[in-house]
Amino acid sequence: MILIGLPKGRIYKEIRQLLENSGIHLKEDKRKLIFGSSEKNIQFSILRGWDIPKFVSYGAVDIGIVGKDVLLETEEENFFEVLDLEIGKCRLSLAAKEKKVSELAGSTIASKFPKETNNFLSENFIDAEIIELKGSIEIAPILGISDYIVDLVNTGNTLKENGLKELKVIKEISTRLIVNKSKFRTKNKEIKKFIQRIKSD
Ligand code: PRP
């Protein structure tokens, strides 16, 4: 039996479609936290995306499907990132109201992605202050608590509606498949079979 953690939210429908295309049909049940599928040895659980690296690292679920944005920030390490599912594509970008990239030194940047923002700053030898927020990042420059933001951009509509401009793409993001390290050995056959199935789609 393998247990696979899926992230709730906007990417969920795309993942369900990808599984359907591989002939794996979810037997969702609103009351159940763990549910089965058309494959009798594959079960699923819907989790919060940000918690998936932890559930996988602890071996609570064998496999996790999660955005690269979450993987960039996690402190967990007990998993292998084995596959880019090439769905949920977006980018992690620097944006601001009027500021330019050249004015970053000494500024403030609001983000839900402090680790990757910090990497970007140090790779470019820029000293700036990161303000960590948990959501509604676009409001930060409008209310004046930061000069810039680093956030996910898909269509760009959220930035536009809030009078912000995308200045620089920091990382291309997509949905990845991760596997617990020891489960990869002990359940190797089942895990490989599942990966092959969704790959051949
Ligand atoms: C993400 C991101 C932006 C928005 C970008 O938020 O934080 O706010 O999507 O998409 P767009 O370029 O197509 O407008 P999401 O709705 O996923 O929720 P979040 O605030 O929890 O991140």
Side-chain angles (χ1 to χ4, degrees), residues 8-20:
K8 60 173 89 168
R10 76 161 81 180
I11 192 65
Y12 182 75
K13 271 191 187 160
E14 266 189 82
I15 295 170
R16 188 172 52 190
Q17 190 57 53
L18 183 128
L19 293 166
E20 292 270 335

Side-chain angles (χ1 to χ4, degrees), residues 9-10 48 50 69 90-91 112-113 134-138 149-162 166:
R10 76 161 81 180
R48 192 169 169 264
W50 285 93
D69 54 321
C90 59
R91 50 206 187 266
K112 206 161 64 176
F113 305 93
K134 298 291 183 197
S136 307
I137 311 299
E138 292 87 357
I149 64 166
V150 167
D151 200 13
L152 297 177
V153 181
N154 179 18
T155 59
N157 289 340
T158 311
L159 290 182
K160 214 180 284 167
E161 277 166 23
N162 290 290
E166 188 174 5

Side-chain angles (χ1 to χ4, degrees), residues 77-92:
E77 291 179 339
N78 194 23
F79 62 82
F80 298 120
E81 184 185 321
V82 297
L83 189 61
D84 183 349
L85 295 172
E86 293 179 14
I87 55 171
K89 287 189 179 175
C90 59
R91 50 206 187 266
L92 186 67

